[in-house]
Amino acid sequence: MSHRPSRPTTLLSLLLVVPLLAHAADRCKLNRIAMLPVTMDGLQPTVAAKINGAAALFTLDSGAFWSTLSPASAQQYQLRLDYNRVPGLYVRGIGGNTDVAVTTVKVFTVFNVPLHNVDFIVGGSEPGKGTVGLLGQNILRLADVEYDLAQGTLSLFKPDNCKHVDLVYWAKADEAYNVMDIEETTPLEPHTTGRVNLNGAKVRVQFDTGASMSIVSLRTAARA
């Protein structure tokens, strides 16, 4: 997809910055700039937001490169659909390809902050669990993100002087922990990816909060 809808940039400047001292690094500080409650509905994480002032429940989906709305939800919120904004844009699912539209929400409120003129992709199937769409990477990439589904929180951080520090602020001084390097992200490759060993085979994996079960491709299973 060559078109990149405008990215909201007001979030970082509007939020109160709370400094957190990173574990084992006096000069490194983590600035928590936002926190959003996450509710687990079974294995599906959901977050509350507002579309032009009306309440909206979204599935938290780090595997979605862009935030989406279902066609029924776009109609519910009386949003205008533009099928010509990105010619040839479609989504691919189990049943094949489906043409989609783009809509612009004048005021999208998340993290208790109003973001203006936020683009959503409209199309595909219903997300389920009473949610209206997916909260994807165009919103989640506004800052460094921490997913703590066990504690029911989604946090945005801005590290300061933390380039070579493990950001395990929650660990005690003598507590063991594991760290995994993740790849740099870009607007075209926004997903959280890393490498693991599967039966000795090095495998590239994607961390997807929208997936209720871990999966492996047939090719990778054969390698492992």
Side-chain angles (χ1 to χ4, degrees), residues 11-12 15 31-36 111 139-146 154-158:
L11 181 60
L12 299 182
L15 292 173
N31 301 301
R32 192 196 310 248
I33 56 179
M35 180 182 289
L36 183 65
F111 298 103
I139 299 295
L140 300 176
R141 289 185 71 249
L142 289 173
D144 285 0
V145 61
E146 176 191 64
L154 167 69
S155 298
L156 297 182
F157 285 94
K158 185 178 180 182

Side-chain angles (χ1 to χ4, degrees), residues 68-213:
T68 68
L69 289 168
S70 69
S73 298
Q75 183 178 17
Q76 173 188 346
Y77 292 100
Q78 300 179 346
L79 299 174
R80 178 180 174 273
L81 304 186
D82 187 349
Y83 285 92
N84 299 316
R85 175 97 67 90
V86 187
L89 181 64
Y90 65 89
V91 294
R92 178 176 297 169
I94 296 177
N97 300 338
T98 302
D99 291 336
V100 296
V102 176
T103 190
T104 300
V105 175
K106 291 184 178 180
V107 182
F108 180 63
T109 304
V110 65
F111 298 103
N112 291 321
V113 174
L115 305 176
H116 298 277
N117 299 320
V118 180
D119 290 335
F120 285 82
I121 293 175
V122 180
S125 59
E126 297 291 329
K129 303 289 188 180
T131 62
V132 302
L134 308 177
L135 191 69
Q137 287 291 346
N138 62 311
I139 299 295
L140 300 176
R141 289 185 71 249
L142 289 173
D144 285 0
V145 61
E146 176 191 64
Y147 306 96
D148 191 349
L149 303 186
Q151 300 300 321
T153 60
L154 167 69
S155 298
L156 297 182
F157 285 94
K158 185 178 180 182
D160 184 16
N161 293 322
C162 301
K163 186 175 182 180
H164 301 292
V165 178
D166 293 341
L167 303 181
V168 286
Y169 66 90
W170 62 87
K172 298 179 181 179
D174 57 348
E175 185 175 353
Y177 59 88
N178 294 320
V179 174
M180 176 186 195
D181 290 334
I182 59 175
E183 299 175 6
E184 293 288 341
T185 62
T186 68
L188 294 179
E189 293 288 343
H191 303 105
T192 305
T193 57
R195 294 188 181 275
V196 301
N197 289 325
L198 183 61
N199 283 346
K202 292 184 178 180
V203 176
R204 187 170 181 260
V205 296
Q206 181 183 119
F207 295 89
D208 185 355
T209 61
S212 60
M213 182 176 295

